[in-house]
Amino acid sequence: MAYRITADRLRGHWQPLVDLALGAATALLFVLSGTVVSAPLAVAQLLPLVWRRRFPAAVLIVVGCATAAHTTLGMARAVGFFPATIALYTAATHRSPVIRWVLCPAVGLVMAAASAVRHGPVEGLLMAVVTVTVAWLAGVERSEHLRQRAEADRQRAEAEHLRLERRIADQATAAAEDRERLARRVHDTLAHTVTVMLLQTEALKATTPLGDAARDRLDVVLRAGRDALTEVRAALADADEPDPATRLAALLKTLGAAGLRLAAHPPDLRDVLAPPVLAVADRLLGEAATNALRHDGPGTLLRISTEHGAERLILRITSEPPSPPRPRAGRVTGGFGLLSLAEDLTRYGGTLVHGPRAPAGWQIEASFPLRVGNAVAGR
């Protein structure tokens, strides 16, 4: 494990280590070979190599000019050209065509001219041209290799992206097939069952002598059944979901026709709750009203009140069964609807508590985070 950690650290810092070793070896060669004729020019040849990766063009100009000047003073060619070839190789790997194809040859020609003046056309010019050309072409080839590797990496990344998109598309297709199978099952069960209920209710209304009150109740049942069937078919067709407030108003109208009484109209919370939280509030009102009628029967009174704080809105809903209250078969607890709403409200930073109230009925208290900038002082 320790060996692996050390190897990873060296792999991440190999370039500075190589530069340090190369600089130290070059400086040692300069000292031991007696290459140095002018100490300032030797420093100008060696020291800029530290920054050759960050500023390759500037380093090449400084080192090349220092090498040409040092050559005219009698510097040995073999070791003396070594810093310049390093700078030339680094600059030739740069992505800029101007640096590769203009600056590098220009600096090489300056050094070759200085060597020709000092050592003649063969020993000076020819040797300098060969040395400079080899270093320059090696850098150009390295640059092309880096470009090809970058292109290969880009193509691999694109291929991986395409594979990811294909996998996502396959998953979406599988999910769509699952939804289609579920839709067929729902249509074959729920939609058919609701249709049979509607037909039987229509037959009962047409063949049985009923009073006005009974006919009104059958009309409520038929209207609720048709609305449910419409919503099922819309859901299966992937139609747009209706506005929660509109659906709540229609639901309360249907429940009112079935015998639920409202102490007052539901509060308008559009200005104080954000749209996602408002949708949860509308669903909660619909669930509470439905539960009140289902558990306490016609004649149940539903009271809805709100209390505003600095950051939260408290919504209280209570049901008061008719007197005498409708007998309950066993213990009644919060169903799946309230549990689901409690989870949704918790996701938005709210809370929901519910339970029976004395002597009869049900109570719900929900806390909603207020829309930013619309908090109302407590009242």
Side-chain angles (χ1 to χ4, degrees):
M1 179 63 71
Y3 171 78
R4 183 179 302 175
I5 294 176
T6 302
D8 292 339
R9 289 180 177 177
L10 290 177
R11 191 179 297 112
H13 300 82
W14 69 272
Q15 282 188 342
L17 293 176
V18 170
D19 291 345
L20 180 62
L22 191 61
T26 305
L28 183 63
L29 283 175
F30 262 54
V31 173
L32 296 180
S33 64
T35 300
V36 178
V37 176
S38 170
L41 290 177
V43 172
Q45 286 180 267
L46 296 172
L47 186 60
L49 295 178
V50 177
W51 299 282
R52 74 181 191 277
R53 299 184 192 279
R54 295 183 60 185
F55 311 105
V59 169
L60 176 61
I61 292 173
V62 173
V63 174
C65 293
T67 300
H70 211 169
T71 299
T72 59
L73 295 179
M75 176 189 68
R77 295 185 302 279
V79 176
F81 267 52
F82 193 52
T85 56
I86 295 175
L88 189 62
Y89 171 82
T90 304
T93 61
H94 197 272
R95 62 179 176 271
S96 172
V98 176
I99 296 178
R100 291 202 311 270
W101 302 104
V102 178
L103 181 62
C104 289
V107 173
L109 289 176
V110 170
M111 292 189 295
S115 182
V117 171
R118 179 66 184 179
H119 302 287
V122 177
E123 292 292 330
L125 178 62
L126 184 60
M127 291 296 295
V129 168
V130 171
T131 302
V132 168
T133 302
V134 169
W136 174 52
L137 291 180
V140 171
E141 184 177 356
R142 173 64 176 171
S143 175
E144 182 65 17
H145 171 71
L146 292 176
R147 187 193 65 79
Q148 293 177 355
R149 189 171 68 178
E151 179 65 19
D153 292 341
R154 185 188 64 81
Q155 292 178 354
R156 281 195 297 271
E158 289 182 352
E160 181 63 27
H161 182 68
L162 289 176
R163 284 194 293 270
L164 178 60
E165 288 186 342
R166 190 177 298 112
R167 186 161 58 249
I168 293 175
D170 292 341
Q171 293 175 351
T173 301
E177 292 175 353
D178 290 340
R179 287 195 301 270
E180 185 177 354
R181 284 193 295 268
L182 178 60
R184 287 197 297 266
R185 290 182 58 185
V186 171
H187 185 270
D188 292 342
T189 55
L190 182 58
H192 288 175
T193 302
V194 173
T195 301
V196 170
M197 293 170 60
L198 288 174
L199 292 175
Q200 292 297 322
T201 305
E202 289 280 8
L204 178 64
K205 181 180 177 182
T207 60
T208 305
L210 300 170
D212 293 339
R215 284 184 171 276
D216 291 341
R217 290 191 179 279
L218 286 181
D219 289 337
V220 171
V221 173
L222 289 171
R223 185 163 57 249
R226 294 189 187 101
D227 291 343
L229 190 59
T230 301
E231 290 191 9
V232 169
R233 288 171 174 167
L236 295 181
D238 221 5
D240 293 335
E241 186 176 356
D243 177 61
T246 303
R247 184 161 55 182
L248 175 62
L251 175 61
L252 292 178
K253 182 178 179 181
T254 301
L255 296 176
L260 181 68
R261 297 183 298 136
L262 294 177
H265 290 292
D268 187 355
L269 305 177
R270 288 175 295 181
D271 293 335
V272 294
L273 297 181
V277 183
L278 178 62
V280 176
D282 289 338
R283 287 170 48 207
L284 177 59
L285 289 171
E287 181 71 16
T290 303
N291 288 345
L293 184 63
R294 182 170 67 243
H295 296 307
D296 296 328
T300 298
L301 179 64
L302 194 69
R303 297 186 183 273
I304 305 171
S305 63
T306 58
E307 177 183 336
H308 293 268
E311 298 179 353
R312 292 189 170 275
L313 178 136
I314 307 300
L315 177 64
R316 293 188 179 91
I317 308 171
T318 59
S319 65
E320 299 179 4
S323 183
R326 179 184 180 184
R328 297 174 181 265
R331 183 183 178 187
V332 179
T333 59
F336 176 76
L338 290 178
L339 293 177
S340 175
L341 285 164
E343 293 178 358
D344 292 343
L345 191 53
T346 301
R347 191 178 303 115
Y348 292 116
T351 59
L352 175 63
V353 293
H354 51 80
R357 60 186 293 269
W362 195 260
Q363 60 184 4
I364 298 173
E365 182 174 306
S367 171
F368 297 88
L370 289 175
R371 182 198 294 265
V372 177
N374 289 325
V376 180
R379 59 187 182 186

